[in-house]
């Protein structure tokens, strides 16, 4: 398992670099993100993974890629059969597996230099910023089991549950990942005060997840200032490895607005303050580029 | 220009609608962001122009499901939108609606005819295929009224509510149109049961909007055969002018929570000829307003125009 090398680094207190954005990077390269481009332009997606060569962990291009997300566009099954494309039942599953295969292929080059793990990037089952929409824990366990089994079979080394918004959905996901024997990092979006979008605290989050065997707790998909508030709260109570990967720029649905507020050097400087506070996994969320991750590489020397 | 349409409908002449905007823009390679109205307005205008050249009597603004909710829904709340969202996102809708009318007017000004009507398109505030998410009447009325006011200010010729999926929201758009003093045509999305997607009876929906002053009722956003079946029900329910426009192919959405995403697969199985042949049956059923929904192109509308002309000539000689 390629995760062993990453786990050992974290155990010995070394810093692990996670890759940067893939969805917004697709847009920045002037391609539409509509179908993740996994089936249409696999070489293009693999190429972006390869451009994140400085990362120890490559995360799959699979944000929000699940059957529920596709089904949500229809009233119900009868309506889906009436007007929906024929492959919707297994499209998400196939694309998920493809996303893992592309990341696995992309790591070949980098793996000659250092061990690289492939993380299946999986988010909330409903929209990441809307905890009010989350399914019941029982339902979430069923759906996560199917997703995790797919990415495990396709060769993922760990699951990176990202942009999570509630303890209950995180708990369901971690239980399933551990049951399947998959290493599991959970990453949460936090607000300006460092709380989850449900209002739950970092202390409550840590207390709920550590006993389940979660391998790391991170924060992502918030601006650096919010991440700063959250990481302080998280570091005050976490026993497991912690990390952060903020977004930079602005969410301009359905796309992203790139700004020059955090050029790579400044981005790495901000990340280094979290490293000094104790965070050991650093990477980039929406708006970050291979240059940002290259700049982070110096922190893992 | 609305009096031209009224006159046509009174004399039982057919009124030809345009075809799809969203799916056709996407098929032409336009990235689906802000309905193309910020970054690709020239392509939107070009497509209106292509529908006018194909013979459409009405062109519809590219504003299907364009309202403040589609942006707000992908954030935790308004505060979160201001905090991490692009500047001005909260005020974007009126600006985009303005552009949508401007490009339609430009296309008309450069088009073959001046007597073409521009219809400001309204739609369900939440996803058109999810009637379970529809807001209650009072909420819908307040929000639809804001959109209708922009269209009134921009002087569209009529409002056109498409893919309405509940009676409550259909009543809200009818009421909004009455308040701003614009004529409105209301079209319902047909579910697998042959009624509204909410499963509410089509006949009841038609009766409700007729009471509120709708000037025509239509059915749309279902496969051609479903539209044909629904039109029989419509005919039995009203004396208003009525019509339909079907989608072709299969809805193939992305794995992405957003408003209706205009991507249809397998549309090639519905050639313009096949679509026109199907739509002529609707005309024979008594429909006077005919056009195309998702997946259709200017070629479909052009073929439909030719078919309707042949039919008229046939009627005259007969």
């Amino acid at each position: 398992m390629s995760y062993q090398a990453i786990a050992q680094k974290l155990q010995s207190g070394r810093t692990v670099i996670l890759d940067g954005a893939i969805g917004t990077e697709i847009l920045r390269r002037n391609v539409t993100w509509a179908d993740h481009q996994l089936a249409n332009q696999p070489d293009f997606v693999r190429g972006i993974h390869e451009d994140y060569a400085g990362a120890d962990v490559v995360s799959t291009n699979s944000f929000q890629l699940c059957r529920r997300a596709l089904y949500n566009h229809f009233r119900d099954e009868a309506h889906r059969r009436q007007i929906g494309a024929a492959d919707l039942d297994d499209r998400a599953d196939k694309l998920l597996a493809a996303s893992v295969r592309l990341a696995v292929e992309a790591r070949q080059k980098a793996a000659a230099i250092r061990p690289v793990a492939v993380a299946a990037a999986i988010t909330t089952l409903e929209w990441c910023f809307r905890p009010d929409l989350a399914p019941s824990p029982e339902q979430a366990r069923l759906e996560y089991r199917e997703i995790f089994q797919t990415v495990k079979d396709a060769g993922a080394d760990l699951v990176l549950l990202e942009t999570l918004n509630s303890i209950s959905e995180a708990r369901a996901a971690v239980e399933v990942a551990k049951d399947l024997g998959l290493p599991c990092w959970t990453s949460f979006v936090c607000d300006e005060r460092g709380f989850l979008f449900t209002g739950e605290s970092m202390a409550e989050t840590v207390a709920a997840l550590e006993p389940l065997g979660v391998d790391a707790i991170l924060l992502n998909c918030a601006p650096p200032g919010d991440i700063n508030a959250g990481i302080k709260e998280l570091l005050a109570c976490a026993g497991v490895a912690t990390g952060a990967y903020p977004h930079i720029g602005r969410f301009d649905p359905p796309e992203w607005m790139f700004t020059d507020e955090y050029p790579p050097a400044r981005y790495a400087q901000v990340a280094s303050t979290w490293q000094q506070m104790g965070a050991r996994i650093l990477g980039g969320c929406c708006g970050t580029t291979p240059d940002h991750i290259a700049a982070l590489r110096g922190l893992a020397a | 220009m609305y009096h031209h349409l009224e006159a046509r409908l009174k004399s039982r002449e057919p009124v030809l609608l345009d075809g799809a905007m969203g799916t056709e823009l996407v098929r032409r390679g336009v990235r689906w962001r802000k309905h193309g109205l910020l970054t690709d307005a020239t392509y939107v205008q070009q497509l209106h122009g292509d529908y006018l050249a194909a013979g459409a009597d009405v062109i519809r603004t590219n504003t299907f499901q364009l309202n403040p909710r589609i942006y707000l829904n992908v954030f935790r709340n308004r505060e979160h939108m201001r905090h991490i969202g692009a500047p001005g996102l909260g005020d974007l809708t009126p600006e985009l609606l303005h552009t949508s009318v401007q490009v339609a007017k430009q296309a008309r000004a450069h088009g073959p005819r001046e007597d073409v009507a521009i219809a400001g398109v309204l739609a369900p505030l939440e996803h058109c295929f999810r009637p379970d998410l529809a807001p209650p009447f009072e909420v819908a009325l307040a929000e639809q009224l804001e959109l209708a006011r922009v269209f009134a200010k921009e002087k569209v010729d009529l409002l056109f509510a498409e893919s309405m999926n509940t009676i409550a929201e259909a009543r809200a758009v009818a009421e909004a149109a009455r308040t701003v003093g614009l004529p409105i045509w209301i079209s319902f999305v047909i579910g697998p049961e042959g009624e509204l997607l909410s499963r509410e009876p089509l006949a009841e929906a038609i009766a409700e909007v007729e009471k509120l002053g709708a000037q025509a009722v239509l059915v749309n956003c279902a496969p051609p055969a479903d539209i044909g079946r629904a039109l029989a029900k419509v005919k039995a329910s009203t004396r208003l002018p009525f019509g339909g426009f079907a989608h072709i192919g299969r809805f193939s959405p992305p794995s992405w929570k957003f408003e209706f995403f205009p991507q249809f697969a397998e549309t090639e199985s519905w050639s313009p000829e096949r679509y026109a042949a199907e739509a002529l049956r609707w005309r024979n059923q008594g429909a006077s307003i005919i056009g195309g929904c998702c997946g259709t192109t200017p070629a479909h509308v052009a073929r439909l125009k030719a078919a309707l002309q042949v039919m008229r000539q046939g009627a005259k000689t007969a």
Side-chain angles (χ1 to χ4, degrees), chain B residues 4-292:
Chain B
H4 287 283
L5 289 181
E6 268 187 317
R8 284 185 81 101
L9 292 174
K10 265 196 194 122
S11 63
R12 304 199 160 266
E13 294 281 303
V15 168
L16 185 61
L17 296 176
D18 54 1
M21 290 299 295
T23 54
E24 181 60 6
L25 287 169
V26 167
R27 196 182 70 84
R28 293 178 177 197
V30 171
R31 239 153 86 180
W32 195 244
R33 47 186 170 181
K34 311 295 185 307
H35 286 63
L37 293 166
L38 269 191
T39 49
D40 299 284
T42 53
Y43 292 94
V44 179
Q45 184 177 325
Q46 174 67 46
L47 181 53
H48 283 313
D50 292 349
Y51 280 123
L52 289 174
D57 300 309
V58 179
I59 50 173
R60 290 167 289 168
T61 57
N62 186 32
T63 52
F64 184 73
Q65 213 139 23
L66 173 53
N67 69 70
R69 275 177 189 247
I70 62 171
Y71 300 114
L72 190 55
N73 276 350
V74 289
F75 294 92
R76 179 190 190 185
N77 51 33
R78 277 179 209 284
E79 190 190 2
H80 185 230
M81 182 164 83
R82 278 192 292 271
H83 184 51
I84 73 156
L89 214 42
D91 308 316
L92 194 58
T93 302
E95 186 191 324
L96 296 177
L97 293 183
H98 165 79
T99 306
S100 78
V101 178
Q102 290 310 307
V103 293
K105 284 187 176 171
Q106 287 289 328
R108 178 170 66 185
H110 294 105
R113 281 161 48 199
E114 283 178 3
D115 65 342
V116 170
I118 292 174
V121 167
L122 298 174
L125 295 164
E126 293 284 348
H127 182 29
C128 58
F129 294 148
R130 292 288 303 273
D132 56 312
L133 303 176
F137 173 80
E138 293 296 337
V139 176
L141 175 56
E143 295 181 36
Q144 296 284 6
L145 191 52
E146 278 191 43
L147 305 173
R149 285 207 166 103
V150 179
F151 281 129
K153 195 173 131 221
E154 300 292 335
K155 297 194 169 24
V156 298
D157 301 306
L158 72 155
L159 292 173
F160 195 127
E162 296 184 348
S163 304
M164 299 309 293
N165 58 26
T166 65
I167 292 179
E169 201 167 1
R171 285 175 50 232
V173 291
E175 190 61 43
R178 196 157 71 165
T179 306
V180 302
L182 281 170
I184 187 167
W185 295 359
I186 299 182
S187 188
F188 298 96
V189 56
I190 298 306
E193 300 81 13
E195 306 290 347
L196 258 61
L197 198 53
S198 61
R199 300 186 178 82
E200 294 166 297
L202 188 52
E204 193 184 323
I206 290 169
E208 289 286 332
V209 298
E210 191 168 349
K211 260 192 290 185
L212 291 169
Q215 308 212 350
V217 288
L218 300 93
V219 287
N220 76 296
C221 220
D226 297 18
I227 292 298
R229 277 191 291 272
L231 282 172
K233 277 189 196 169
V234 175
K235 186 180 183 176
S237 315
T238 185
R239 294 189 166 185
L240 286 178
F242 66 92
F245 49 114
H247 67 223
I248 56 174
R250 310 290 296 180
F251 181 38
S252 182
S255 157
W256 163 246
K257 177 190 165 58
F258 202 51
E259 94 283 22
F260 174 74
F261 190 92
Q263 184 167 276
F264 272 63
E266 299 167 50
T267 55
E268 60 284 350
S269 63
W270 281 91
S271 66
E273 291 69 25
R274 185 180 175 203
Y275 187 78
E278 188 82 15
L280 277 193
R281 288 195 202 116
W282 310 336
R283 177 71 182 140
N284 284 326
Q285 285 176 264
S288 26
I289 307 165
I290 293 172

Side-chain angles (χ1 to χ4, degrees), chain A residues 95-117:
Chain A
L95 290 178
L96 259 179
S99 77
V100 175
R101 280 196 303 273
L102 287 174
V104 168
E105 287 163 18
R107 98 164 131 198
Q108 299 309 328
K109 278 188 194 168
I113 307 165
R114 70 178 77 83
V116 174

Side-chain angles (χ1 to χ4, degrees), chain A residues 21-22 25-26 29 43-52 290:
Chain A
I22 189 141
E25 188 60 12
I26 289 173
R29 297 180 186 200
D43 296 342
F44 172 73
V45 173
R46 192 192 306 104
I48 297 177
H49 284 314
E50 286 172 353
D51 289 347
Y52 283 116

